[in-house]
Amino acid sequence: MNIVSNSSPLIFLGKIGRIDVLNRLFDKVYIPEAVFNEVVLADKDDDVSHLVEEKIKAGQIDKFKVHNEVAIRALLGRLHQGEVEVIIGAGELKINSVLLDDLYARNKAKQFELSVTGTIGILLLAYKQGLVKDLKSELQKLIDVGYRISDTLMQTVIKEIEIEKDGRK
């Protein structure tokens, strides 16, 4: 399965040293030019930008250009350029899975009948597949680097991993 990613999941997974799980969970990770520009070109001295650039050079992340300029312009406003290019680009690439954190962008992607997950969903999936051993500590690392997680979402994720643990017994 392939996925198209927005900036924030790449940035936050990179900051906690977990960007590698994307290539272990998906056959191919794609990013549109706007996401590349935001992650790699915006701050060339940032560790995450270097990491993403290396993954592109190694063929682990593919950068692509979104061609439907009319659709992009139509969606800009509440959505940022990267979010719009993820949604439109997924359609152009015929990929039905996207990686977005922003709630409004997630809802818009669902209107386009895309399967949506976010940074926490990736970590949860990695946990379920045994790629992450201690999900609670990974979530704490996210919080420590500035990722906002509501108490409700945190409780939901903790409940889900407890159910997962009980199911493994």
Side-chain angles (χ1 to χ4, degrees):
M1 181 169 73
N2 298 326
I3 196 162
V4 180
S5 181
N6 192 32
S7 306
S8 65
L10 294 174
I11 292 167
F12 282 105
L13 289 171
K15 284 183 176 186
I16 66 167
R18 287 298 187 171
I19 199 167
D20 62 303
V21 300
L22 291 174
N23 293 112
R24 297 176 75 188
L25 294 171
F26 301 98
D27 297 323
K28 188 61 82 168
V29 178
Y30 291 89
I31 61 170
E33 285 182 341
V35 170
F36 173 82
N37 293 340
E38 186 177 341
V39 175
V40 176
L41 298 183
D43 188 359
K44 282 297 239 180
D45 293 329
D46 183 73
D47 289 340
V48 174
S49 66
H50 292 298
L51 180 60
V52 171
E53 195 167 32
E54 288 303 314
K55 289 198 161 289
I56 291 169
K57 287 177 184 173
Q60 296 173 329
I61 294 177
D62 280 0
K63 179 180 79 163
F64 69 97
K65 178 171 180 41
V66 179
H67 298 286
N68 191 340
E69 294 291 330
V70 173
I72 291 171
R73 284 193 302 276
L75 286 179
L76 283 175
R78 259 201 77 199
L79 296 177
H80 297 171
Q81 183 80 23
E83 295 163 338
V84 170
E85 287 192 17
V86 165
I87 293 167
I88 301 303
E92 287 182 2
L93 295 173
K94 297 186 179 6
I95 295 173
N96 70 349
S97 295
V98 295
L99 187 50
L100 294 160
D101 283 331
D102 179 78
L103 182 60
Y104 187 78
R106 292 167 66 92
N107 288 337
K108 185 58 73 175
K110 289 174 186 173
Q111 289 175 351
F112 282 77
E113 298 181 353
L114 296 169
S115 173
V116 182
T117 194
T119 303
I120 295 171
I122 291 298
L123 290 174
L124 183 58
L125 184 58
Y127 172 79
K128 288 179 177 182
Q129 293 192 13
L131 303 174
V132 168
K133 299 298 179 211
D134 184 358
L135 184 58
K136 287 181 187 178
S137 72
E138 297 300 322
L139 294 174
Q140 187 58 53
K141 287 178 192 176
L142 275 178
I143 292 167
D144 293 345
V145 297
Y147 192 91
R148 293 179 304 204
I149 303 173
S150 71
D151 291 338
T152 304
L153 180 56
M154 183 68 98
Q155 293 307 313
T156 301
V157 172
I158 289 170
K159 212 177 281 184
E160 190 162 339
I161 62 175
E162 288 170 356
I163 290 169
E164 184 76 17
K165 281 181 186 175
D166 290 342
R168 290 184 190 169
K169 291 180 183 176

